[in-house]
Amino acid sequence: MIIYLRAGGQLREKLKPDVDHYTRKVEIDGEKTIAEILKDISVDSAFVALIHVDGKLKDLSFKPSDGQTITLQPPVSGG
Amino acid sequence: MSLSKSEIERYQRQLLVDGWDQERLKSARVLIVGVGGLGGISATYLAAAGVGHLRICDSDSVEQSNLNRQILFTAEDIGKPKAALVARRLSAQNPEIEIEAISNKLTEANVSGLASGCDLIIDGLDNHSDRLKLNKASFDLNIPFVYGAINEWLGQLSLFNPPQSACLACLMPEELPSLKPTPVFGALPGVIGSLQATLALRYLLTGENPVSNALLIFRADSMTFETVTFERRPGCGVCGESCR
Ligand SMILES: [Zn+2]
Protein backbone atom coordinates (compact mmCIF):
# COMPACT_ATOMS: atom_id res chain seq x y z
CA MET A 1 0.00 0.00 0.00
CA ILE A 2 0.93 3.63 -0.42
CA ILE A 3 1.12 6.18 2.37
CA TYR A 4 2.26 9.80 2.40
CA LEU A 5 4.62 11.28 4.97
CA ARG A 6 4.60 15.04 5.33
CA ALA A 7 7.15 17.12 7.26
CA GLY A 8 8.34 20.69 7.64
CA GLY A 9 11.27 22.34 9.39
CA GLN A 10 14.48 20.40 10.01
CA LEU A 11 12.65 17.16 9.35
CA ARG A 12 11.75 18.04 5.76
CA GLU A 13 15.29 17.59 4.44
CA LYS A 14 15.73 14.28 6.27
CA LEU A 15 12.48 13.00 4.77
CA LYS A 16 13.60 13.74 1.18
CA PRO A 17 10.18 14.76 -0.18
CA ASP A 18 9.29 13.55 -3.68
CA VAL A 19 5.60 14.43 -4.12
CA ASP A 20 5.81 18.12 -3.30
CA HIS A 21 8.03 20.33 -1.15
CA TYR A 22 6.91 18.57 2.05
CA THR A 23 5.58 15.16 1.13
CA ARG A 24 7.15 11.78 0.44
CA LYS A 25 5.27 8.86 -1.01
CA VAL A 26 6.20 5.53 0.60
CA GLU A 27 5.19 2.07 -0.53
CA ILE A 28 4.91 -0.45 2.29
CA ASP A 29 4.22 -4.18 2.40
CA GLY A 30 1.29 -4.84 4.72
CA GLU A 31 0.75 -3.27 8.13
CA LYS A 32 3.67 -1.43 9.65
CA THR A 33 4.09 1.04 12.49
CA ILE A 34 5.37 4.56 11.88
CA ALA A 35 8.53 3.56 13.80
CA GLU A 36 9.15 0.67 11.36
CA ILE A 37 8.40 2.83 8.32
CA LEU A 38 10.80 5.56 9.46
CA LYS A 39 13.50 2.94 10.07
CA ASP A 40 12.97 1.52 6.56
CA ILE A 41 13.53 4.95 4.99
CA SER A 42 16.40 5.86 7.36
CA VAL A 43 14.73 8.79 9.10
CA ASP A 44 15.77 9.08 12.76
CA SER A 45 12.60 9.18 14.84
CA ALA A 46 14.42 11.32 17.43
CA PHE A 47 13.72 14.25 15.10
CA VAL A 48 9.98 13.58 15.14
CA ALA A 49 8.42 15.55 18.00
CA LEU A 50 4.77 14.86 17.14
CA ILE A 51 2.82 12.67 14.76
CA HIS A 52 -0.68 13.55 13.65
CA VAL A 53 -3.22 12.17 11.24
CA ASP A 54 -6.47 13.89 10.27
CA GLY A 55 -6.11 16.36 13.15
CA LYS A 56 -5.50 13.70 15.81
CA LEU A 57 -2.32 13.00 17.72
CA LYS A 58 -0.75 9.58 17.11
CA ASP A 59 2.50 7.95 18.21
CA LEU A 60 5.25 5.80 16.69
CA SER A 61 3.15 2.66 17.18
CA PHE A 62 0.41 3.93 14.85
CA LYS A 63 -0.19 1.73 11.77
CA PRO A 64 -1.28 3.83 8.77
CA SER A 65 -3.81 2.56 6.26
CA ASP A 66 -3.64 2.80 2.47
CA GLY A 67 -3.62 6.36 1.12
CA GLN A 68 -3.28 8.04 4.50
CA THR A 69 -1.18 11.17 5.00
CA ILE A 70 0.85 11.23 8.19
CA THR A 71 2.25 14.54 9.38
CA LEU A 72 5.58 14.39 11.17
CA GLN A 73 6.18 17.51 13.23
CA PRO A 74 9.82 18.46 13.89
CA PRO A 75 10.85 19.80 17.28
CA VAL A 76 9.48 23.32 17.69
CA SER A 77 11.13 24.82 20.72
CA GLY A 78 12.30 28.36 19.95
CA GLY A 79 10.93 31.59 21.31
CA MET B 1 -11.84 46.94 41.97
CA SER B 2 -13.15 50.10 40.33
CA LEU B 3 -11.68 52.01 37.40
CA SER B 4 -10.37 55.57 37.55
CA LYS B 5 -11.46 58.25 35.07
CA SER B 6 -8.11 57.94 33.34
CA GLU B 7 -8.48 54.15 33.03
CA ILE B 8 -11.97 54.47 31.60
CA GLU B 9 -10.60 56.85 28.98
CA ARG B 10 -7.54 54.69 28.21
CA TYR B 11 -9.55 51.50 27.79
CA GLN B 12 -12.66 53.01 26.18
CA ARG B 13 -12.31 51.12 22.89
CA GLN B 14 -11.92 47.69 24.48
CA LEU B 15 -14.71 48.42 26.98
CA LEU B 16 -16.94 48.24 23.88
CA VAL B 17 -15.90 44.63 23.22
CA ASP B 18 -18.62 42.06 23.93
CA GLY B 19 -17.89 40.25 27.19
CA TRP B 20 -15.07 42.59 28.24
CA ASP B 21 -14.55 43.03 32.00
CA GLN B 22 -11.80 45.58 32.63
CA GLU B 23 -12.05 45.29 36.41
CA ARG B 24 -11.45 41.57 36.16
CA LEU B 25 -8.29 42.23 34.10
CA LYS B 26 -7.18 44.89 36.55
CA SER B 27 -7.29 42.38 39.41
CA ALA B 28 -5.40 39.70 37.44
CA ARG B 29 -1.79 38.68 38.10
CA VAL B 30 0.17 37.07 35.28
CA LEU B 31 3.65 35.55 35.19
CA ILE B 32 5.49 35.86 31.87
CA VAL B 33 8.68 33.81 31.68
CA GLY B 34 10.98 34.95 28.89
CA VAL B 35 10.49 38.32 27.22
CA GLY B 36 12.23 37.72 23.90
CA GLY B 37 10.44 37.13 20.60
CA LEU B 38 7.29 35.54 22.05
CA GLY B 39 7.14 36.94 25.59
CA GLY B 40 7.96 40.51 24.54
CA ILE B 41 4.86 40.50 22.34
CA SER B 42 2.47 38.85 24.81
CA ALA B 43 3.74 41.11 27.62
CA THR B 44 3.16 44.19 25.46
CA TYR B 45 -0.46 43.31 24.69
CA LEU B 46 -1.27 42.27 28.26
CA ALA B 47 0.19 45.52 29.58
CA ALA B 48 -1.67 47.60 27.00
CA ALA B 49 -4.90 45.75 27.80
CA GLY B 50 -4.54 46.67 31.47
CA VAL B 51 -3.77 43.35 33.16
CA GLY B 52 -3.20 44.75 36.66
CA HIS B 53 -0.04 42.96 37.68
CA LEU B 54 2.64 41.49 35.41
CA ARG B 55 5.56 39.52 36.79
CA ILE B 56 8.26 39.41 34.14
CA CYS B 57 11.11 36.94 34.45
CA ASP B 58 14.12 36.76 32.12
CA SER B 59 17.78 36.23 33.00
CA ASP B 60 19.15 37.27 29.60
CA SER B 61 20.64 40.52 28.39
CA VAL B 62 19.99 41.95 24.94
CA GLU B 63 22.25 40.73 22.12
CA GLN B 64 22.54 42.19 18.65
CA SER B 65 21.20 38.95 17.13
CA ASN B 66 17.94 39.43 19.10
CA LEU B 67 17.06 42.60 17.22
CA ASN B 68 15.56 40.91 14.12
CA ARG B 69 12.60 39.80 16.24
CA GLN B 70 12.62 41.24 19.75
CA ILE B 71 11.10 44.54 18.81
CA LEU B 72 10.92 46.04 22.30
CA PHE B 73 14.71 46.52 22.21
CA THR B 74 16.97 48.94 20.36
CA ALA B 75 20.66 48.89 19.45
CA GLU B 76 21.30 51.04 22.55
CA ASP B 77 19.94 48.24 24.77
CA ILE B 78 22.63 45.70 23.82
CA GLY B 79 24.19 44.25 26.96
CA LYS B 80 21.38 45.41 29.26
CA PRO B 81 19.08 43.00 31.17
CA LYS B 82 15.85 42.30 29.31
CA ALA B 83 13.48 42.03 32.28
CA ALA B 84 14.22 45.54 33.57
CA LEU B 85 14.13 47.03 30.05
CA VAL B 86 10.74 45.48 29.28
CA ALA B 87 9.33 46.58 32.67
CA ARG B 88 10.46 50.16 32.04
CA ARG B 89 9.16 50.20 28.48
CA LEU B 90 5.75 48.75 29.34
CA SER B 91 5.36 50.98 32.42
CA ALA B 92 5.84 53.95 30.11
CA GLN B 93 3.23 52.49 27.74
CA ASN B 94 0.75 51.87 30.56
CA PRO B 95 1.52 53.55 33.92
CA GLU B 96 -1.80 52.27 35.32
CA ILE B 97 -0.47 48.74 35.92
CA GLU B 98 2.15 47.19 38.22
CA ILE B 99 5.13 45.43 36.64
CA GLU B 100 7.63 43.35 38.55
CA ALA B 101 10.96 42.58 36.82
CA ILE B 102 12.90 39.48 37.88
CA SER B 103 16.29 38.76 36.26
CA ASN B 104 16.65 35.21 37.59
CA LYS B 105 17.10 32.07 35.55
CA LEU B 106 14.13 29.70 35.78
CA THR B 107 14.97 26.59 37.82
CA GLU B 108 13.06 23.68 39.32
CA ALA B 109 13.78 25.25 42.72
CA ASN B 110 12.39 28.74 42.00
CA VAL B 111 9.57 28.05 39.51
CA SER B 112 6.86 27.55 42.14
CA GLY B 113 7.84 30.73 43.96
CA LEU B 114 7.73 32.68 40.68
CA ALA B 115 4.28 31.37 39.76
CA SER B 116 2.78 31.48 43.23
CA GLY B 117 -0.09 33.95 43.57
CA CYS B 118 -0.52 34.31 39.79
CA ASP B 119 -3.75 33.61 37.90
CA LEU B 120 -2.00 32.61 34.69
CA ILE B 121 1.46 31.66 33.40
CA ILE B 122 2.63 32.68 29.93
CA ASP B 123 5.47 30.92 28.22
CA GLY B 124 7.96 33.15 26.40
CA LEU B 125 10.80 30.64 26.70
CA ASP B 126 13.21 29.41 24.05
CA ASN B 127 13.62 25.76 25.05
CA HIS B 128 11.40 22.78 25.82
CA SER B 129 13.07 21.67 29.05
CA ASP B 130 12.27 24.99 30.79
CA ARG B 131 8.72 24.77 29.40
CA LEU B 132 8.35 21.40 31.13
CA LYS B 133 9.35 23.08 34.43
CA LEU B 134 6.62 25.70 33.93
CA ASN B 135 4.16 22.97 33.00
CA LYS B 136 4.90 21.08 36.23
CA ALA B 137 4.43 24.22 38.34
CA SER B 138 1.20 24.93 36.45
CA PHE B 139 -0.18 21.52 37.42
CA ASP B 140 1.15 21.55 41.00
CA LEU B 141 -0.21 25.05 41.73
CA ASN B 142 -3.36 24.68 39.59
CA ILE B 143 -2.47 27.76 37.50
CA PRO B 144 -3.34 27.67 33.76
CA PHE B 145 -0.38 27.80 31.37
CA VAL B 146 -0.34 29.42 27.93
CA TYR B 147 2.26 27.57 25.88
CA GLY B 148 3.84 28.84 22.65
CA ALA B 149 6.86 27.84 20.54
CA ILE B 150 8.32 28.63 17.15
CA ASN B 151 10.86 27.27 14.70
CA GLU B 152 11.59 28.41 11.17
CA TRP B 153 8.12 28.54 9.45
CA LEU B 154 6.23 26.74 12.21
CA GLY B 155 4.56 28.12 15.29
CA GLN B 156 2.32 26.38 17.83
CA LEU B 157 0.39 27.20 20.96
CA SER B 158 -2.09 25.88 23.47
CA LEU B 159 -3.56 26.58 26.89
CA PHE B 160 -3.15 23.87 29.49
CA ASN B 161 -5.44 24.15 32.50
CA PRO B 162 -5.12 20.94 34.43
CA PRO B 163 -6.94 19.14 35.92
CA GLN B 164 -9.63 20.12 33.34
CA SER B 165 -7.29 19.58 30.38
CA ALA B 166 -4.24 17.48 29.55
CA CYS B 167 -0.82 19.09 30.03
CA LEU B 168 2.28 19.81 27.94
CA ALA B 169 3.94 16.62 29.18
CA CYS B 170 0.99 14.59 27.86
CA LEU B 171 1.90 15.95 24.43
CA MET B 172 5.71 16.14 24.53
CA PRO B 173 7.09 14.64 27.76
CA GLU B 174 10.75 14.53 26.76
CA GLU B 175 13.51 16.98 26.05
CA LEU B 176 13.44 17.93 22.34
CA PRO B 177 16.53 17.90 20.13
CA SER B 178 16.94 21.40 18.79
CA LEU B 179 19.02 23.31 16.33
CA LYS B 180 21.09 26.01 18.00
CA PRO B 181 20.61 28.72 17.00
CA THR B 182 16.93 28.27 16.12
CA PRO B 183 16.04 29.57 12.64
CA VAL B 184 13.56 32.41 13.21
CA PHE B 185 12.34 35.61 11.56
CA GLY B 186 10.56 38.31 13.55
CA ALA B 187 7.00 38.19 12.24
CA LEU B 188 6.46 34.57 13.34
CA PRO B 189 6.95 35.14 17.10
CA GLY B 190 4.87 38.27 16.48
CA VAL B 191 1.97 36.09 15.30
CA ILE B 192 2.32 33.39 17.95
CA GLY B 193 2.97 35.89 20.78
CA SER B 194 -0.15 37.82 19.73
CA LEU B 195 -2.21 34.61 19.70
CA GLN B 196 -0.87 33.72 23.17
CA ALA B 197 -1.90 37.19 24.41
CA THR B 198 -5.35 36.78 22.85
CA LEU B 199 -5.79 33.35 24.43
CA ALA B 200 -4.60 34.72 27.80
CA LEU B 201 -6.98 37.70 27.71
CA ARG B 202 -9.88 35.50 26.66
CA TYR B 203 -9.13 33.11 29.52
CA LEU B 204 -8.76 35.91 32.09
CA LEU B 205 -12.03 37.49 30.94
CA THR B 206 -14.19 34.37 30.62
CA GLY B 207 -12.39 31.37 32.13
CA GLU B 208 -12.89 29.60 28.80
CA ASN B 209 -10.25 27.42 27.14
CA PRO B 210 -11.08 27.13 23.43
CA VAL B 211 -7.97 24.98 22.85
CA SER B 212 -8.45 22.50 25.68
CA ASN B 213 -6.67 19.25 24.70
CA ALA B 214 -5.72 20.82 21.37
CA LEU B 215 -2.55 22.19 19.83
CA LEU B 216 -2.98 25.03 17.35
CA ILE B 217 -0.28 24.92 14.68
CA PHE B 218 0.43 27.83 12.33
CA ARG B 219 2.32 27.03 9.11
CA ALA B 220 3.67 30.36 7.96
CA ASP B 221 4.91 28.94 4.64
CA SER B 222 1.41 27.89 3.53
CA MET B 223 -0.46 30.44 5.73
CA THR B 224 -2.56 27.66 7.21
CA PHE B 225 -3.71 26.81 10.72
CA GLU B 226 -4.19 23.22 11.87
CA THR B 227 -5.64 21.94 15.12
CA VAL B 228 -4.36 18.66 16.52
CA THR B 229 -6.42 17.14 19.31
CA PHE B 230 -5.00 14.87 21.99
CA GLU B 231 -6.02 13.21 25.24
CA ARG B 232 -4.56 13.13 28.71
CA ARG B 233 -2.00 10.31 28.92
CA PRO B 234 -2.89 8.10 31.87
CA GLY B 235 0.86 7.53 32.35
CA CYS B 236 1.80 11.23 32.17
CA GLY B 237 4.49 11.96 34.77
CA VAL B 238 2.90 15.34 35.55
CA CYS B 239 -0.89 14.99 35.38
CA GLY B 240 -1.36 11.22 34.93
CA GLU B 241 -3.26 8.86 37.20
CA SER B 242 -0.41 8.35 39.67
CA CYS B 243 -0.03 12.11 40.18
CA ARG B 244 -3.58 12.90 41.28
ZN1 LIG C 1 -0.01 15.47 31.45
mmCIF file with all atom_site columns, all heavy atoms in Angstrom, chain B residues 167 170 236 239, ligand 1:
data_model
loop_
_atom_site.group_PDB
_atom_site.id
_atom_site.type_symbol
_atom_site.label_atom_id
_atom_site.label_alt_id
_atom_site.label_comp_id
_atom_site.label_asym_id
_atom_site.label_entity_id
_atom_site.label_seq_id
_atom_site.pdbx_PDB_ins_code
_atom_site.Cartn_x
_atom_site.Cartn_y
_atom_site.Cartn_z
_atom_site.occupancy
_atom_site.B_iso_or_equiv
_atom_site.pdbx_formal_charge
_atom_site.auth_seq_id
_atom_site.auth_comp_id
_atom_site.auth_asym_id
_atom_site.auth_atom_id
_atom_site.pdbx_PDB_model_num
ATOM   1  N  N  . CYS B 1 167 ? -1.905 18.126 29.826 1.00 0.00 ? 167 CYS B N  1
ATOM   2  C  CA . CYS B 1 167 ? -0.821 19.094 30.031 1.00 0.00 ? 167 CYS B CA 1
ATOM   3  C  C  . CYS B 1 167 ? 0.230  18.952 28.925 1.00 0.00 ? 167 CYS B C  1
ATOM   4  O  O  . CYS B 1 167 ? 0.140  18.077 28.075 1.00 0.00 ? 167 CYS B O  1
ATOM   5  C  CB . CYS B 1 167 ? -0.198 18.911 31.420 1.00 0.00 ? 167 CYS B CB 1
ATOM   6  S  SG . CYS B 1 167 ? 0.979  17.550 31.538 1.00 0.00 ? 167 CYS B SG 1
ATOM   7  N  N  . CYS B 1 170 ? 1.802  15.613 28.540 1.00 0.00 ? 170 CYS B N  1
ATOM   8  C  CA . CYS B 1 170 ? 0.986  14.593 27.863 1.00 0.00 ? 170 CYS B CA 1
ATOM   9  C  C  . CYS B 1 170 ? 1.315  14.591 26.367 1.00 0.00 ? 170 CYS B C  1
ATOM   10 O  O  . CYS B 1 170 ? 1.237  13.566 25.698 1.00 0.00 ? 170 CYS B O  1
ATOM   11 C  CB . CYS B 1 170 ? -0.500 14.903 28.010 1.00 0.00 ? 170 CYS B CB 1
ATOM   12 S  SG . CYS B 1 170 ? -1.157 14.704 29.654 1.00 0.00 ? 170 CYS B SG 1
ATOM   13 N  N  . CYS B 1 236 ? 1.056  9.970  32.147 1.00 0.00 ? 236 CYS B N  1
ATOM   14 C  CA . CYS B 1 236 ? 1.802  11.234 32.171 1.00 0.00 ? 236 CYS B CA 1
ATOM   15 C  C  . CYS B 1 236 ? 2.455  11.431 33.540 1.00 0.00 ? 236 CYS B C  1
ATOM   16 O  O  . CYS B 1 236 ? 1.797  11.296 34.573 1.00 0.00 ? 236 CYS B O  1
ATOM   17 C  CB . CYS B 1 236 ? 0.874  12.415 31.851 1.00 0.00 ? 236 CYS B CB 1
ATOM   18 S  SG . CYS B 1 236 ? 1.705  14.017 32.007 1.00 0.00 ? 236 CYS B SG 1
ATOM   19 N  N  . CYS B 1 239 ? 0.546  14.928 35.037 1.00 0.00 ? 239 CYS B N  1
ATOM   20 C  CA . CYS B 1 239 ? -0.890 14.993 35.375 1.00 0.00 ? 239 CYS B CA 1
ATOM   21 C  C  . CYS B 1 239 ? -1.576 13.630 35.268 1.00 0.00 ? 239 CYS B C  1
ATOM   22 O  O  . CYS B 1 239 ? -2.798 13.552 35.342 1.00 0.00 ? 239 CYS B O  1
ATOM   23 C  CB . CYS B 1 239 ? -1.594 16.019 34.485 1.00 0.00 ? 239 CYS B CB 1
ATOM   24 S  SG . CYS B 1 239 ? -1.865 15.462 32.789 1.00 0.00 ? 239 CYS B SG 1
HETATM 25 ZN ZN . ZN  C 2 .   ? -0.008 15.469 31.446 1.00 0.00 ? 1   ZN  C ZN 1
#
